[in-house]
């Protein structure tokens, strides 16, 4: 094998690892965004529930 053949093999083997790493990081970022979105939605629901309870008590 020539040096250029070896370099091309190494180059092609290293690319999928970077792609998998980027996909995993992106999934982690999406999971964090989903977590914060859920927290916001639950907070909004809780606040509206408190408001409704206050209205019922009056």
């Amino acid at each position: 094998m020539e040096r250029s053949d070896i370099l091309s093999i190494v180059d092609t083997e290293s690319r999928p690892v970077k792609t998998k790493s980027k996909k995993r990081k992106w999934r982690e970022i999406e999971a964090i965004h989903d977590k914060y979105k859920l927290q916001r939605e639950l907070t909004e629901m809780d606040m509206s529930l408190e408001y409704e309870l206050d209205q019922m008590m009056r």
Side-chain angles (χ1 to χ4, degrees):
M1 265 191 195
E2 291 184 18
R3 183 181 174 136
S4 62
D5 294 334
I6 294 172
L7 290 176
S8 67
I9 291 172
V10 170
D11 209 22
T12 57
E13 288 178 354
S14 66
R15 286 184 186 157
V17 173
K18 290 181 182 179
T19 303
K20 288 181 183 179
S21 171
K22 287 181 181 179
K23 286 182 181 179
R24 183 180 62 227
K25 288 179 183 178
W26 183 249
R27 285 188 196 118
E28 291 173 2
I29 291 169
E30 286 180 334
I32 292 169
H33 284 287
D34 289 343
K35 178 182 170 184
Y36 284 120
K37 182 179 177 184
L38 178 62
Q39 286 178 342
R40 274 185 275 146
E41 290 175 357
L42 290 174
T43 302
E44 289 172 1
M45 289 174 69
D46 189 39
M47 289 181 152
S48 66
L49 179 62
E50 287 179 16
Y51 176 76
E52 288 177 19
L53 288 174
D54 287 341
Q55 292 296 323
M56 291 173 70
M57 297 294 263
R58 290 183 182 180

